[in-house]
Amino acid sequence: MRQLTCAGPGVVEWWEVEAPTLEGPGEALVRPVAVARCELDPLLVLSGPLAGSEGFALGHEAVVEVVAVADDVRGVEAGDLALCSFQVSCGVCGRCRAGASAVCERVPVLADFGMQPLSGDERGGMLSDLVRVPFAEAMLVKVPAGVDPVGLASVPDNVVDGYRSVAGSLADRPGADVLVVVHGNRSIGLYAAQSALALGASSVTVTSDDPVVLEMAEQLGATARTTGFGRRSGRWPVVVDCGTRPAGLLHAVDSTESAGILHSVSYYLEDVVLPLGKMYTRGITFEIGRAHSAALLPEVVALVADGRLDPSMVTTQIVSWDEAAEHYLDDTVKLVVGR
Ligand SMILES: [Zn+2]
Ligand SMILES: [Zn+2]
C-alpha cells in the first residue's frame, strides 16, 4: 500500500509498504479518507534530528472509513465513516475513564499515529491506504450524517486542542471574556477562538503579530488586536497561550487578571522561566498538557453536528491524495488532504 513518509529532513514522499492486517481482538482496519496536517507535522518533517533517516509515516488527524473490525468490536462496523483519536488509548483503564486518555495506562506515553520520532513507536500514519486501529470502540467516533468529512479532518487533534483550551475555563466562568494569544500553531489558536464563541464567551479577542491569523480571527467573529508581545493586552479572566515563543507565554501570563485562568496549548522546546511569584500573588491558575483526543471527541463532534462549531472555516487549502507529497510543507494555515 502507499504511505506518505517523511524520508529525511524536509523530504516527504510516497513509499510502498506492507499493508497492516487485523492482529487481535478489539481492533479495526481503517482507510483514511480526509487527513489534516497538524501544526506539529512541519516541525517533525523539517527538524533534522526528529526526521531521522529511517523514514516514518505521516498523518494523525483523520476521518476514516472502517474497512473491517474484529469479531468483538461493537458500535462501529465496516462501511462506517468515523473520526479516529490520534492518540492510542484503551477507553477502560482508570485514566481513560477519568477523561485522561492522552496518558492511557495500557500504552506507552506518546503512542500516537504518525509521530514515530517522538514515541519511537511506528503505528503507521493516516496518510496511508490502511491503518490498524487498536481499541476501536474507544478510538473511533462515528461521523454524524450530513457532516462533510473534509471539514472534520482536523477535529481529532488541533480542533480538540483549541476546544479544551477554553471549555474548562468557560465552564468555571460562564460567559467570561476570552483572550487568545497566538504566537505560532495558528490553527489551534483559531479553533480556540471559534470554540470560545460557540461556548458562550461574552467576547473573544485574538492577539498576535501574524496578520493572517488576525484577519482569519475577524472572519470567525473574534476581535483582532495586533501585538508584538511586549506590553500586556489588558487583563482577562480567561486566557489561552498558543504558540512556540516564550515571549508569547509571558505576554499571556501578564494579560491574565487576578484569579483568572491561563491555559497553555503550547509545547516549548526550551525551558521557560515563569514569574511564579507574581502568579502566586495574583492567584492565577495555569493549566498545561496534551489534549485528550478520545475522551473529548464525542463532545466536540456533537458541537460540530449541531452547527455550533465549523472547523472548515479554518481550512485554507485542500489538496488531493496524489498531491499530498508535493504540498505537505506549503505555507498555509490548515492543509487538508482528501480522497
Ligand atoms: Zn498533532
Ligand atoms: Zn486507557
Side-chain angles (χ1 to χ4, degrees):
M1 68 162 190
R2 284 206 302 170
Q3 169 190 287
L4 195 70
T5 306
C6 173
V11 182
V12 175
E13 55 192 29
W14 289 106
W15 281 11
E16 197 61 38
V17 302
E18 198 176 331
T21 54
L22 290 178
E23 289 177 10
E27 295 179 353
L29 210 54
V30 303
R31 174 181 183 265
V33 295
V35 183
R37 182 184 69 187
C38 172
E39 295 289 355
L40 182 68
D41 285 352
L43 190 73
L44 282 182
V45 170
L46 292 170
S47 152
L50 289 178
S53 57
E54 291 167 24
F56 67 93
L58 284 165
H60 58 272
E61 305 191 326
V63 173
V64 301
E65 181 190 344
V66 179
V67 172
V69 296
D71 290 341
D72 62 333
V73 172
R74 303 283 172 267
V76 285
E77 57 186 29
D80 283 344
L81 274 183
L83 289 114
C84 183
S85 166
F86 78 99
Q87 296 153 339
V88 178
S89 56
C90 74
V92 295
C93 73
R95 287 190 201 143
C96 280
R97 276 187 281 119
S101 56
V103 285
C104 172
E105 293 166 27
R106 291 174 64 185
V107 294
V109 177
L110 292 173
D112 307 322
F113 299 107
M115 292 191 218
Q116 185 275 340
L118 297 185
S119 63
D121 190 17
E122 179 59 272
R123 290 175 180 265
M126 289 294 162
L127 284 152
S128 299
D129 292 331
L130 281 176
V131 178
R132 188 174 67 88
V133 177
F135 313 118
E137 287 178 23
M139 299 270 293
L140 297 173
V141 174
K142 278 199 222 181
V143 171
V147 180
D148 174 25
V150 170
L152 282 177
S154 196
V155 169
D157 184 5
N158 289 174
V159 176
V160 157
D161 213 4
Y163 169 83
R164 59 86 191 225
S165 73
V166 293
S169 308
L170 285 168
D172 272 7
R173 290 161 172 74
D177 295 305
V178 174
L179 176 71
V180 184
V181 181
V182 184
H183 48 96
N185 297 338
R186 300 181 287 186
S187 68
I188 300 172
L190 292 167
Y191 294 134
Q194 252 194 326
S195 300
L197 288 164
L199 295 171
S202 292
S203 73
V204 178
T205 299
V206 173
T207 191
S208 180
D209 60 351
D210 184 326
V212 174
V213 166
L214 294 170
E215 192 188 328
M216 288 182 71
E218 281 194 333
Q219 285 162 7
L220 297 175
T223 301
R225 191 187 280 189
T226 303
T227 182
F229 307 112
R231 252 180 94 85
R232 69 168 185 257
S233 296
R235 300 268 203 211
W236 302 76
V238 171
V239 179
V240 176
D241 164 61
C242 174
T244 55
R245 290 176 270 165
L249 171 59
L250 296 174
H251 180 86
V253 170
D254 219 18
S255 303
T256 306
E257 73 177 28
S258 294
I261 305 179
L262 167 60
H263 192 125
S264 177
V265 287
S266 312
Y267 177 81
Y268 292 99
L269 288 166
E270 58 201 294
D271 289 343
V272 181
V273 176
L274 286 179
L276 287 176
K278 222 192 268 183
M279 292 166 73
Y280 172 87
T281 303
R282 296 187 22 237
I284 290 171
T285 302
F286 180 57
E287 296 176 345
I288 192 164
R290 298 211 302 159
H292 301 290
S293 181
L296 289 168
L297 270 177
E299 64 194 77
V300 177
V301 171
L303 210 56
V304 177
D306 284 352
R308 293 169 64 199
L309 184 68
D310 180 6
S312 72
M313 290 180 74
V314 177
T315 302
T316 47
Q317 188 176 348
I318 300 172
V319 300
S320 71
W321 208 257
D322 287 338
E323 295 169 318
E326 184 190 338
H327 290 285
Y328 210 64
L329 296 175
D330 282 3
D331 180 15
T332 191
V333 171
K334 180 55 71 179
L335 176 77
V336 177
V337 182
R339 286 195 191 264

